[in-house]
Amino acid sequence: MAERNDFGAVLRAWRERLTPSAVGLVPHGRRRSPGLLREEVAQLAGVSADYVKRLEQGRGRPSASVLDALSRALRLSRDEYEYLCVLAGHAAGGAGFVPRQLGPGARRLLDRLGDLPVCVCDAAWTVIDWNLSWTAMGCSATEVALGRDRNMVWRFFVAPAPGVPPGNSTRTPERMRRFREQVVADLRAASLRYPADRELASMVADLAARSADFRALWETARPGRYYDDRVTIHHPVVGDFTVDCDILAIHDGDLRAVVFTPEPGSRDAQRLALARTALAMSPHHDGS
């Protein structure tokens, strides 16, 4: 009981120390304190406000996936995340497991490149965070997805259906072939670095069982650098626009940042700016 109460007290303290503006939210109405409300943490973490309340009151034990979501919502450091895991009775990921937390460098990248669409993936290519410009592109399928459906390799080879490009973006056949080769090679290298990660091993096994294309690429995968890439975004409001796609390695946490950049002054840049404006004006947008 004491351990659960300690968890709730720490969770509440870390919620109250974080302001809405620090996580891209616009505060509404009168507030008793400058910190985040339970409803705001729940929204950021993808859980209910009642569930956050129960956790703070020491009722219930969060799963490892909920801990990951809470740590992202509360902008926890690696040390804080591991401490929260201990309080919740979970072992934090260590050697042999894919790191799934954003360090301060990755967080600053998301915050400072606000005008450019950026998402951050772990070493297994599971999307773990993104900025508002990424949301503005209409990539909501990735944001609301859970589990493997948030993994880019899984979506390229299995979901929504084999051979169907995921999301609202397309590449030329040659660029798509090259990109698939690169991410499979990267995934294979990750599987060698993190041999104890059962979820990664299970996903690779299922990919191989369900996709002949994946099996062929896995067997011939060779480590290599990422080449220049271009992606066309099919936006439901502003129409199509094309952006360059760059993959940046973030060594702290073994992360990958996917960054989209339009040519300055181009029609593509104008349409991306209009997409951000459309998101800001959307009645469903609340700044998250």
Side-chain angles (χ1 to χ4, degrees):
M1 181 66 72
E3 194 172 38
R4 290 197 299 272
N5 286 338
D6 287 344
F7 176 89
V10 168
L11 183 63
R12 178 172 181 174
W14 285 345
R15 168 174 65 83
E16 293 179 343
R17 76 178 180 182
L18 200 61
T19 62
S21 60
V23 295
L25 296 176
V26 178
H28 297 288
R30 299 182 61 183
R31 308 173 72 91
R32 296 180 181 178
S33 70
L36 292 181
L37 303 176
R38 289 193 184 103
E39 290 78 8
E40 291 166 337
V41 172
Q43 176 187 339
L44 293 170
V47 298
S48 70
D50 181 65
Y51 184 62
V52 174
K53 180 179 180 180
R54 287 190 285 115
L55 289 178
E56 290 186 354
Q57 293 176 342
R59 297 184 289 126
R61 180 175 181 265
S63 65
S65 61
V66 169
L67 283 174
D68 288 346
L70 288 172
S71 71
R72 291 193 297 269
L74 297 173
R75 308 292 181 91
L76 301 186
S77 68
R78 178 67 186 181
D79 289 343
E80 289 171 336
Y81 163 73
E82 292 181 351
Y83 180 57
L84 198 66
C85 287
V86 171
L87 292 178
H90 289 282
F97 294 87
V98 175
R100 292 185 171 89
Q101 269 58 53
L102 267 67
R107 174 56 57 193
R108 285 192 294 270
L109 181 71
L110 282 174
D111 291 341
R112 293 179 181 178
L113 296 183
D115 290 341
L116 298 177
V118 182
C119 82
V120 178
C121 302
D122 63 21
W125 282 93
T126 297
V127 177
I128 57 177
D129 214 338
W130 53 87
N131 63 9
L132 288 177
S133 289
W134 183 269
T135 302
M137 291 194 310
C139 296
S140 57
T142 300
E143 297 173 21
V144 301
L146 298 174
R148 290 180 180 177
D149 285 338
R150 189 174 279 190
N151 183 276
M152 286 195 177
V153 184
W154 183 263
R155 291 180 65 81
F156 272 118
F157 289 94
V158 175
V164 178
N168 65 335
S169 62
T170 57
R171 293 172 168 85
T172 65
E174 175 60 21
R175 290 184 186 277
M176 176 61 77
R177 179 195 63 78
R178 193 165 60 186
F179 185 77
R180 287 157 71 107
E181 289 177 351
Q182 291 165 347
V183 295
V184 171
D186 200 25
L187 186 68
R188 182 165 185 173
S191 71
L192 296 175
R193 290 196 303 278
Y194 303 106
D197 197 303
R198 293 182 179 179
E199 172 53 33
L200 173 56
S202 175
M203 184 181 74
V204 168
D206 288 345
L207 279 165
R210 297 179 63 173
S211 172
D213 289 342
F214 177 84
R215 286 197 305 274
L217 291 176
W218 183 266
E219 292 170 358
T220 59
R222 296 180 180 178
R225 67 181 180 89
Y226 283 95
Y227 294 90
D228 63 298
D229 193 14
R230 288 177 68 81
V231 179
T232 297
I233 305 297
H234 307 292
H235 196 278
V237 176
V238 305
D240 293 358
F241 56 91
T242 300
V243 290
D244 291 313
C245 175
D246 291 288
I247 310 297
L248 308 180
I250 303 174
H251 297 293
D252 180 18
D254 198 5
L255 306 173
R256 291 101 181 85
V258 181
V259 184
F260 288 159
T261 55
E263 181 180 348
S266 65
R267 185 193 67 171
D268 298 313
Q270 294 172 355
R271 289 194 171 183
L272 175 58
L274 287 173
R276 290 195 298 268
T277 300
L279 174 68
M281 297 178 63
S282 169
H284 302 292
H285 173 61
D286 52 15
S288 60

